[in-house]
Amino acid sequence: MSRLLSNGGAAVSAGRGASSATVADAVPGRNRFSSAERYLARVTHTLRRTTAALLATVVVAPVLLTQATASGEESAAVGSSGIGDAYWPLDGNGGIDVASYRIRNRYDLATQRLEGRTVLELTATSDLSSFHLDFLLPTTKVTVDGARAEHARPDKHELRITPDAPLVAGSTHRVVVSYAGNPDGKKYAGERNWLANDREVVAMNQPHMAPWWFPGNDHPSDKATFDVSTTVERGREVIGNGTLVSRKKTERTVTWRWRAEDQMATYLAFFAAGDFEVERGTTHGIPWVNAVSRLQDDRQRAGSLRALRTSASVVHGLAQDLGPYPFEVTGGLSTGLPVGFALENQTRPTYPTLGGPAEGLIVHELAHQWFGDDVAVARWSDIWLNEGAATFMEWRWTERKGARSAADILRGSYDGRDASDPFWEVTIGDPGKDLIFDDAVYERGAMTLQALRQRIGDDAFWTVIRTWLQQRGGANGTTQDFEALAASTSGQDLTSFFTAWLRTPAKPARTADNGLA
């Protein structure tokens, strides 16, 4: 997610305690990829998917509530209503691992009513008598493997499903949820995240967005593939993640189907509907799709299109440092709705009205395709791995252009803040849920990575970064995982370094041990 934008479109600081509904991100890639490289990358991602669920269960242990029979013997458990994340205990759900979502929605722009059906392919990770999904809209029907299942609302955010027979650990199931309602006005965790008027809608927000428009296991530790069809009135466009599969028209409606090949976290899935100017092409061997809202005036729309046209070249440039771009397509969408942030939606980040050059913002959001999308956090307390890395790649982008070195930017950030500045009070390794988008998470996170680069040396640093992305790509990672990799790769004891930068509410001392000599 990128920082707040001024009315003029320039990125500015998010500010201490800014809410998730008003904060965002940005990110910056490589050479033309051969078919062999793409094939190898796709096979590697397929192999990674098989381990993703295991990695998630190691770092976020879901809770199961055990039921007992009259004889005292244990029976199937009730899946917990949360996956175990300390920041948002109701996020995600225990006992299930979702492999895919096939979403079929109809959206009426005039009334903002959404109705549809989502098919989830999931595996029971424990014996379950019932399980939960995260969803805010009224549900009309649920089936499990074709048989009607009971459903209830123990909480406005929780949909509890009880199949006619318990689910056995390791078994796979097809769950179909039908629903209808108006997402506008729905609220969860203090967030009202539906962004729409009678001409346009964009489902974009972080950390929560999915429950407003489809039922799911809403936590980044459970990635899945997405196939999304959205029906709107004829003459409107729909943009989503990945590649456009089909567009089918009737006399009054048009259905757009988008599909993303790679697994993603639920908050990264999006759709936008309205009137958009759409451009497509291929640059440096990377296909791209850009869309700009016609709610923007002619001058704004032309400027936004110019900015988005740089996306594929930015991906190409970032890949010089990070390795091959992990997905099949890139691009971006610039909305005309009043939103003060940008978001790293997988394959196609979403932006506010740009209206002109926005290089830093686009670098930030596209860098997130590696840091945050391909390698997702296993728990929200590790958000600095996303935001700090994306901000660091902004610095690196500036450095590669020959404008200013990342070392000089670090020095300026460090010297420009007195030790008494509240900026240093944020422990970015676990900032607390109210500060996950604090400016310190971004900037101190970037400072941490540049200081690490200076501490262990350029070669070791880039080996750490590329190894992290290669080993964790398609899955998740934690701060502890990153620290262990940095120590093993460099052959150094980095305990005091990471303690100073991530876990101490004070300005790190200017020492060689802290990468500041």
Side-chain angles (χ1 to χ4, degrees):
M1 179 175 269
S2 296
R3 292 160 177 165
L4 285 175
L5 304 175
S6 69
N7 291 336
V12 296
S13 170
R16 179 173 304 275
S19 73
S20 63
T22 53
V23 190
D25 285 320
V27 193
R30 158 168 148 86
N31 266 344
R32 182 181 182 90
F33 308 123
S34 68
S35 58
E37 286 178 304
R38 289 186 182 278
Y39 174 76
L40 180 60
R42 190 63 56 222
V43 170
T44 301
H45 274 276
T46 300
L47 292 173
R48 286 170 184 158
R49 289 188 195 113
T50 64
T51 62
L54 176 59
L55 286 170
T57 57
V58 169
V59 295
V60 183
V63 177
L64 297 176
L65 305 177
T66 302
Q67 292 181 327
T69 64
S71 61
E73 296 178 354
E74 290 187 350
S75 65
V78 177
S80 66
S81 57
I83 209 165
D85 195 297
Y87 284 10
W88 287 280
L90 289 180
D91 283 11
N93 303 278
I96 61 171
D97 172 38
V98 180
S100 68
Y101 296 91
R102 187 164 183 175
I103 302 168
R104 301 290 179 265
N105 285 340
R106 178 184 295 267
Y107 187 76
D108 187 317
L109 284 161
T111 63
Q112 298 184 27
R113 178 178 172 82
L114 184 149
E115 59 181 286
R117 188 181 80 155
T118 293
V119 179
L120 304 88
E121 302 288 345
L122 60 81
T123 299
T125 59
S126 301
D127 293 344
L128 295 171
S129 60
S130 65
F131 59 93
H132 289 243
L133 296 175
D134 303 311
F135 195 42
L136 292 169
L137 293 183
T139 300
T140 56
K141 181 181 178 181
V142 179
T143 65
V144 177
D145 300 328
R148 191 138 190 171
E150 294 183 9
H151 62 276
R153 287 280 184 179
D155 180 273
K156 64 182 181 181
H157 174 260
E158 298 297 316
L159 174 63
R160 185 173 63 219
I161 298 170
T162 304
D164 62 354
L167 309 186
V168 178
S171 59
T172 58
H173 303 275
R174 184 176 188 265
V175 179
V176 182
V177 182
S178 300
Y179 44 86
N182 192 319
D184 187 36
K186 298 298 183 184
K187 181 178 179 181
Y188 169 63
E191 304 167 26
R192 296 181 184 272
N193 290 347
W194 198 245
L195 179 64
N197 62 18
D198 60 0
R199 294 182 59 192
E200 187 169 316
V201 60
V202 186
M204 57 182 289
N205 219 301
Q206 184 184 15
H208 307 110
M209 187 68 251
W212 277 261
W213 65 287
F214 69 91
N217 200 25
D218 190 29
H219 191 271
S221 63
D222 189 5
K223 292 184 171 186
T225 60
F226 282 80
D227 185 321
V228 181
S229 293
T230 306
T231 300
V232 292
E233 67 178 302
R234 187 161 177 164
R236 307 284 190 168
E237 289 82 34
V238 176
I239 308 296
N241 307 89
T243 302
L244 180 64
V245 176
S246 65
R247 182 179 58 180
K248 296 181 179 180
K249 297 179 181 179
T250 68
E251 184 179 347
R252 296 182 178 180
T253 67
V254 57
T255 300
W256 299 70
R257 181 183 177 190
W258 292 85
R259 182 170 61 210
E261 294 184 8
D262 297 281
Q263 292 189 328
M264 73 177 86
T266 47
Y267 80 91
L268 297 172
F270 89 103
F271 84 97
D275 296 321
F276 295 95
E277 184 171 347
V278 181
E279 294 184 339
R280 295 174 174 85
T282 300
T283 303
H284 300 296
I286 306 170
W288 51 265
V289 178
N290 294 328
V292 174
S293 170
R294 294 186 185 276
L295 293 180
Q296 300 179 29
D297 63 35
D298 291 346
R299 181 189 60 80
Q300 291 174 326
R301 192 164 68 251
S304 296
L305 279 169
R306 282 196 301 271
L308 291 181
R309 287 178 194 136
T310 68
S311 296
S313 293
V314 169
V315 166
H316 172 80
L318 287 170
Q320 306 296 323
D321 286 320
L322 304 179
Y325 178 62
F327 307 123
E328 76 272 24
V329 64
T330 188
L333 178 139
S334 175
T335 179
L337 295 169
V339 58
F341 62 91
L343 186 64
E344 64 271 18
N345 300 92
Q346 193 160 303
T347 70
R348 192 153 298 116
T350 51
Y351 302 92
T353 297
L354 299 173
E359 185 177 66
L361 184 65
I362 288 172
V363 168
H364 184 101
E365 297 307 332
L366 290 174
H368 271 309
Q369 302 301 299
W370 283 268
F371 300 101
D373 292 11
D374 191 30
V375 182
V377 294
R379 57 199 177 205
W380 284 113
S381 59
D382 295 316
I383 189 68
W384 83 274
L385 289 169
N386 293 1
E387 301 305 344
T391 304
F392 168 77
M393 291 309 298
E394 291 184 66
W395 296 7
R396 173 63 169 170
W397 188 264
T398 300
E399 179 178 78
R400 272 192 169 273
K401 291 174 62 178
R404 188 181 181 192
S405 71
D408 187 50
I409 298 173
L410 168 60
R411 187 162 47 250
S413 295
Y414 183 87
D415 292 341
R417 287 185 171 88
D418 186 82
S420 62
D421 193 316
F423 172 89
W424 300 111
E425 297 174 4
V426 181
T427 54
I428 63 171
D430 188 0
K433 70 183 181 70
D434 293 332
L435 296 179
I436 65 169
F437 299 124
D438 190 89
D439 186 57
V441 173
Y442 293 71
E443 189 166 352
R444 187 168 177 171
M447 295 171 76
T448 300
L449 291 176
Q450 178 58 30
L452 177 64
R453 184 184 180 188
Q454 295 173 183
R455 164 69 190 267
I456 66 177
D458 217 50
D459 289 345
F461 174 78
W462 288 111
T463 298
V464 169
I465 295 299
R466 286 188 287 267
T467 301
W468 175 256
L469 296 171
Q470 182 179 21
Q471 292 183 350
R472 297 276 167 181
N476 305 78
T478 68
T479 296
Q480 289 72 23
D481 295 329
F482 185 81
E483 291 183 35
L485 176 63
S488 64
T489 301
S490 66
Q492 298 182 31
D493 182 351
L494 299 172
T495 304
S496 62
F497 171 87
F498 284 113
T499 296
W501 280 104
L502 302 180
R503 290 182 282 277
T504 302
K507 186 175 183 177
R510 192 191 297 270
T511 64
D513 192 53
N514 289 336
L516 295 171

